[in-house]
Amino acid sequence: MRAFLYAGGPVYPEFITEHPKADDLRIAADSGLRAADALSDRVDILVGDFDSLGEPPARAGMEVVRVPAEKDLTDTQLALEIAVSRGADEIILIAGLSGRLDHTLSTLFVLEDMHARGLHGYITDGQNRVHFLQSSSLLIARSAFRYLSLIAADPVVRGVSVEGCKYPLSHATLRRSLQFAVSNEITGNAALVSCKKGSLYVIESADRR
């Protein structure tokens, strides 16, 4: 089952091509309800301590899960836990990529948690789309995102190759302390990104003004 999770932060609705279908689960994390509303996406479950959203609105068919403000997990992490408990194995996380840096990093690391659990998915807010890749390959279709960047998630990532881009790589070594595979551009219909050992954040992005 696929689940859409809506985190806090702005979205660019005109550049978001991912929309839930009738049988997808839709969970908003606190002020992520605003992101869902901006996309006109109905929400099935709203979870949070509501320090950002305020008192949650009463909506027909929307379950509200209220949690204490003093807790170990973020509202986005709680949304993921609910999605998994309801049977989701594919996660599309909307928003959560701008605003407070601590929240942004926490949201990015959700992708690592998903990978460790065998879940598939990515994050997008319309300005960025982020995948987590570990010792594998990923095909990225050319789209409205102009740039393609690889950010090393491990101290050293080996055997990194990129095909179909302006600046190809072949069996390169990337280091977390010196990121140089940034702001590449897809020149063909798609780019193929692969790494032999280690983990990468594969980031599609664009300047939105």
Side-chain angles (χ1 to χ4, degrees):
M1 183 181 72
R2 187 169 69 166
F4 277 70
L5 308 186
Y6 302 88
V11 292
Y12 295 80
E14 65 271 32
F15 297 108
I16 292 181
T17 58
E18 298 84 353
H19 295 283
K21 297 181 179 179
D23 56 349
D24 291 334
L25 180 64
R26 312 160 199 207
I27 306 174
D30 204 321
S31 63
L33 182 63
R34 297 187 185 119
D37 289 346
L39 295 165
S40 300
D41 291 345
R42 176 180 55 81
V43 169
D44 301 309
I45 303 171
L46 174 62
V47 59
D49 54 23
F50 307 121
D51 60 338
S52 300
L53 179 65
E55 188 62 23
R59 295 182 182 177
M62 184 176 74
E63 177 185 351
V64 176
V65 179
R66 190 186 296 270
V67 297
E70 296 181 359
K71 58 188 186 300
D72 293 329
L73 300 181
T74 67
D75 293 329
T76 301
Q77 290 169 325
L78 288 171
L80 176 63
E81 294 300 323
I82 292 174
V84 171
S85 72
R86 303 289 174 101
D89 55 10
E90 181 181 357
I91 306 293
I92 309 299
L93 210 165
I94 304 293
L97 292 176
S98 58
R100 278 178 50 178
L101 181 58
D102 54 347
H103 285 177
T104 299
L105 290 173
S106 176
T107 301
L108 282 176
F109 297 154
V110 166
L111 290 179
E112 294 189 45
D113 183 28
M114 287 167 47
H115 182 273
R117 299 183 192 212
L119 305 173
H120 303 284
Y122 53 89
I123 306 173
T124 185
D125 63 358
Q127 183 172 22
N128 308 279
R129 184 161 57 199
V130 188
H131 294 263
F132 182 75
L133 180 66
Q134 185 177 64
S135 304
S136 186
S137 299
L138 181 66
L139 190 66
I140 302 290
R142 191 173 184 177
S143 67
F145 295 102
R146 178 178 179 181
Y147 302 109
L148 179 67
S149 298
L150 309 182
I151 302 296
D154 288 330
V156 180
V157 184
R158 303 186 188 278
V160 179
S161 298
V162 178
E163 302 174 35
C165 283
K166 185 176 181 179
Y167 307 106
L169 288 176
S170 180
H171 304 289
T173 297
L174 302 184
R175 299 181 185 278
R176 191 170 58 192
S177 59
L178 181 62
Q179 306 280 355
F180 66 85
V182 176
S183 296
N184 209 336
E185 298 181 36
I186 299 175
T187 54
N189 292 326
L192 179 62
V193 179
S194 59
C195 69
K196 296 295 184 182
K197 185 177 181 180
S199 303
L200 295 169
Y201 286 105
V202 181
I203 304 174
E204 301 168 81
S205 58
D207 297 315
R208 305 296 193 207
R209 292 186 174 87

